[in-house]
Amino acid sequence: MIQLTIEDAVPEKGEAILNRLIDEYNTAAVADKNKTASNTLKFLDERLGLVSGELQNVEKNVEQYKTAQGITDLSAQAQSFLQTVQQNDANLNQVNLQLGAIQDVEKYISSRSNERVGAPSTLGLSDPVLLGLITKVSELELQREQLARTTADQSPIVQSLEGQIRNMKANIRENVEATKTMLTTSKNQMLATNRKMEGVIRTIPQKERSLIDISRQQAIKNDLYTFLLQKREETALSFASTIADSRTVDAARSSNSPVKPVGKMIFALFALVGLVIPVGAMTAKDAMNNRVMRRTDVEEVTTVPILGEVVKSKEADRLIMAPQNRSVISEQIRTIRTNLQFLKSATDSQVLLFTSSISGEGKSFVSLNLGASLALVDRPTVILEMDLRKPKLREALGMSNSTGISNYLIGEATLEEALHPIPGYENYFIMPSGPVPPNPSELLSSPRLEQMFQELRDRFTYVLVDSPPIGLVTDAQLIAPFADSTLYMVRHDVTPKHYLKMIDTLYKEQRFQKLNIILNGVGEGEAYYYSYSYGYYGEDEKKKLI
């Protein structure tokens, strides 16, 4: 089936062209077919005359061969011969089996009376008399063997049994001789029959091959003759009733609506453009973004271990840790608290330095809540507001700018005067920055800094240091020698990627003790992933700690 279409601005013109085209095609096809049919009939008549004579000669050859060889149905005869041979072979095998059993019986009856020989095999023997005699002899021998264990050989009973056994064996010998003669005669007859049948069967393939050669020629000529007759009749019918092969299923017709332009394609194109452009824009934005967006951004650039992750907080309070708080962010702070066991030094107290690359990465928030988490498990903890340039902790806690670190470092206050308890948390203190000094770096180089850390170690189990960002000032590096571990904050969609190389350099050069990264401000889309990604520590180790 073929469908012809034409696009034209005038529908009636297109219909007329298609209808006329089909009419001309059918007329030309009928003329060609009539000419071809006439030539085909002439050729078929000539070939039929020639094949008919050849077929008659081949049929006569088949008839003469079958008459000369006495063949009616060669396949049926061969099958009958094979069945006869198979049956004869089966009978011959049965006879051989019986002869073997007879030989076993002869060996048995030839044995001496004092030799214990097992009962002979009677497989294939069907003579009930012989089988009965063998069974009787076996029973007598068994009785004799039992008596021989308790009675002398000269005993009358034993002698009586010996006589019965000899008589039985004599009867068996006569029966065996007769049976053996009969079986041997049957075997010879069967062997002669097999040789005769095999001779006849060996001649069958030759006769069959010759007959097949003649029959093949007959079949070929017959098939060719039948084929030519069939084609002659088909050609005659075609010549008598020649019509066009093609048939018009539907006459040409025009559509009710225009076919161009295609509205659906236009809409699909605009839909595709509307999809590609936003996707391309988002991809380009992601490619041009130079901030840390996911955990893999950190792992691909630096080998620094990741101690934990903290999701983006939706709560307004800066201090969210409480005994009954079971939010995701609280559990993540507790996980970081647990992982601190891997950073613990040999001393009883532990100084943790919190720093970052730039301002706004959440080091004050994480350090403040981690300290509260440690205080909740009865660990005396103090947090130092050592970002002397831009302090934030006291503002988050709603405390006034009272005596603090700067006062202590210049010798105007003692440690007790600089420490302040955090309301609502037992064992949790803060040492605020105090008045902002004009020279923070020089103040942090004071010898009293080492004295302050030593006094804090003696009093508290954990000392948390909220230091300025490394990428802006050098204050954190001045404090680093007094810290046991350093927790570096990397915030999602805030920390520039090029700072990751600086972190890796600091880690390799060991400028900070036990440098670890905390991922902060993880987006909601990655919250589930990060809730199950607890740093580089194994699950078994975390279970032991918890």
Side-chain angles (χ1 to χ4, degrees):
M1 179 176 290
I2 184 171
Q3 181 178 2
L4 302 179
T5 60
I6 185 172
E7 296 178 0
D8 199 285
V10 183
E12 293 78 7
K13 177 184 174 182
E15 293 177 8
I17 292 174
L18 289 179
N19 290 330
R20 186 60 180 173
L21 177 63
I22 295 300
D23 291 341
E24 291 297 328
Y25 174 80
N26 289 338
T27 301
V30 171
D32 290 341
K33 289 174 65 176
N34 284 338
K35 184 177 180 180
T36 303
S38 177
N39 294 333
T40 303
L41 281 174
K42 183 178 178 180
F43 171 76
L44 290 174
D45 289 336
E46 293 176 357
R47 290 295 299 166
L48 280 171
L50 179 61
V51 173
S52 178
E54 294 177 352
L55 182 59
Q56 291 178 1
N57 293 334
V58 173
E59 289 176 346
K60 288 182 181 179
N61 292 337
V62 173
E63 181 183 353
Q64 291 174 0
Y65 184 80
K66 286 186 175 182
T67 302
Q69 298 296 331
I71 297 173
T72 55
D73 189 346
L74 191 60
S75 298
Q77 291 177 351
Q79 187 66 27
S80 177
F81 290 150
L82 288 174
Q83 291 178 355
T84 302
V85 171
Q86 291 175 355
Q87 182 62 37
N88 198 62
D89 285 341
N91 295 334
L92 182 60
N93 290 334
Q94 185 65 27
V95 169
N96 288 331
L97 184 64
Q98 293 178 358
L99 286 173
I102 290 296
Q103 291 177 359
D104 196 14
V105 173
E106 287 180 338
K107 181 180 179 181
Y108 172 70
I109 62 178
S110 300
S111 61
R112 290 177 294 180
S113 59
N114 58 351
E115 294 179 356
R116 176 57 180 163
V117 180
S121 173
T122 59
L123 181 64
L125 298 178
S126 59
D127 188 354
V129 177
L130 179 60
L131 296 176
L133 291 173
I134 293 173
T135 302
K136 185 64 176 176
V137 168
S138 299
E139 294 175 353
L140 292 174
E141 286 190 337
L142 180 61
Q143 294 178 11
R144 181 194 63 188
E145 183 179 359
Q146 293 175 349
L147 287 173
R149 295 174 183 175
T150 57
T151 309
D153 292 342
Q154 292 77 18
S155 172
I157 299 176
V158 175
Q159 293 298 323
S160 174
L161 287 175
E162 290 286 353
Q164 293 181 31
I165 291 172
R166 285 192 295 272
N167 293 334
M168 286 291 181
K169 286 188 175 182
N171 294 333
I172 293 173
R173 186 177 292 107
E174 294 177 0
N175 193 304
V176 165
E177 291 296 335
T179 304
K180 184 176 181 180
T181 301
M182 180 184 65
L183 292 175
T184 304
T185 303
S186 299
K187 178 179 178 181
N188 293 334
Q189 291 176 354
M190 293 178 185
L191 290 174
T193 302
N194 272 356
R195 287 192 293 271
K196 180 179 178 181
M197 290 295 178
E198 288 173 358
V200 174
I201 291 173
R202 279 194 292 270
T203 62
I204 289 177
Q206 181 180 0
K207 294 179 181 180
E208 187 174 11
R209 185 174 62 253
S210 300
L211 181 60
I212 287 174
D213 291 338
I214 300 173
S215 299
R216 185 184 300 113
Q217 296 297 324
Q218 180 188 12
I220 292 172
K221 299 298 180 182
N222 186 63
D223 291 343
L224 181 58
Y225 186 78
T226 303
F227 175 76
L228 292 173
L229 283 177
Q230 181 182 356
K231 290 300 178 182
R232 186 180 184 282
E233 293 300 321
E234 291 176 358
T235 304
L237 290 173
S238 177
F239 186 80
S241 57
T242 302
I243 59 173
D245 289 335
S246 62
R247 180 171 62 90
T248 302
V249 179
D250 291 323
R253 63 182 184 275
S254 58
S255 60
N256 296 326
S257 58
V259 296
K260 288 185 178 179
V262 182
K264 293 182 179 179
M265 184 177 295
I266 299 299
F267 287 119
L269 180 61
F270 275 96
L272 180 62
V273 172
L275 178 65
V276 170
I277 292 177
V279 172
M282 289 187 291
T283 303
K285 180 182 178 181
D286 185 66
M288 295 174 63
N289 186 13
N290 65 339
R291 297 178 181 179
V292 175
M293 299 300 296
R294 54 188 64 87
R295 180 190 180 98
T296 55
D297 293 341
V298 179
E299 294 176 337
E300 290 174 356
V301 177
T302 178
T303 57
V304 181
I306 298 176
L307 186 68
E309 300 85 11
V310 180
V311 298
K312 185 181 298 184
S313 175
K314 295 181 179 180
E315 301 182 25
D317 297 335
R318 299 294 298 275
L319 186 57
I320 63 173
M321 286 300 300
Q324 303 302 325
N325 192 339
R326 288 293 181 267
S327 63
V328 174
I329 190 170
S330 300
E331 293 301 326
Q332 290 178 327
I333 294 293
R334 292 185 177 94
T335 300
I336 296 175
R337 180 189 68 192
T338 303
N339 290 342
L340 290 179
Q341 300 292 331
F342 294 94
L343 305 179
K344 193 170 184 180
S345 59
T347 59
D348 295 334
S349 62
Q350 188 173 9
V351 178
L352 302 177
L353 175 64
F354 289 81
T355 186
S356 61
S357 301
I358 59 176
S359 178
E361 292 180 292
K363 56 183 177 57
S364 299
F365 172 81
V366 174
S367 60
L368 184 62
N369 284 279
L370 181 59
S373 176
L374 291 169
L376 290 175
V377 292
D378 297 329
R379 300 290 192 276
T381 305
V382 61
I383 183 168
L384 309 183
E385 190 180 31
M386 298 198 71
D387 190 352
L388 303 180
R389 304 172 190 269
K390 193 177 180 181
K392 295 181 180 180
L393 289 178
R394 63 171 180 264
E395 296 178 2
L397 297 174
M399 300 175 65
S400 61
N401 188 14
S402 56
T403 305
I405 296 174
S406 60
N407 303 103
Y408 179 87
L409 293 179
I410 61 177
E412 293 182 353
T414 63
L415 186 66
E416 292 295 335
E417 294 173 343
L419 286 174
H420 303 276
I422 296 178
Y425 292 88
E426 188 178 358
N427 296 325
Y428 195 20
F429 294 81
I430 183 173
M431 195 170 179
S433 63
V436 177
N439 54 347
S441 297
E442 289 75 7
L443 189 62
L444 292 175
S445 301
S446 170
R448 286 182 63 83
L449 181 65
E450 181 178 359
Q451 179 183 348
M452 181 185 71
F453 277 108
Q454 186 58 48
E455 292 180 10
L456 291 173
R457 284 180 182 272
D458 295 338
R459 181 169 177 176
F460 296 97
T461 304
Y462 285 94
V463 180
L464 309 184
V465 182
D466 179 21
S467 67
I470 293 179
L472 301 179
V473 293
T474 61
D475 295 1
Q477 298 186 41
L478 296 175
I479 306 171
F482 305 101
D484 298 318
S485 303
T486 302
L487 303 182
Y488 201 104
M489 308 303 301
V490 175
R491 186 165 184 173
H492 178 271
D493 201 20
V494 173
T495 304
K497 292 182 179 178
H498 64 270
Y499 277 106
L500 297 177
K501 294 183 179 179
M502 181 188 70
I503 300 174
D504 193 58
T505 302
L506 294 174
Y507 178 72
K508 292 179 179 179
E509 294 178 357
Q510 298 183 356
R511 296 189 185 181
F512 292 88
Q513 295 293 330
K514 297 181 181 179
L515 182 62
N516 285 260
I517 290 176
I518 294 180
L519 297 178
N520 186 28
V522 178
E524 295 180 357
E526 299 181 5
Y528 177 82
Y529 167 74
Y530 282 112
S531 65
Y532 286 92
S533 302
Y534 292 93
Y536 63 98
Y537 303 109
E539 292 295 334
D540 294 338
E541 294 173 316
K542 288 184 291 182
K543 290 178 180 178
K544 292 177 183 178
L545 293 173
I546 295 173

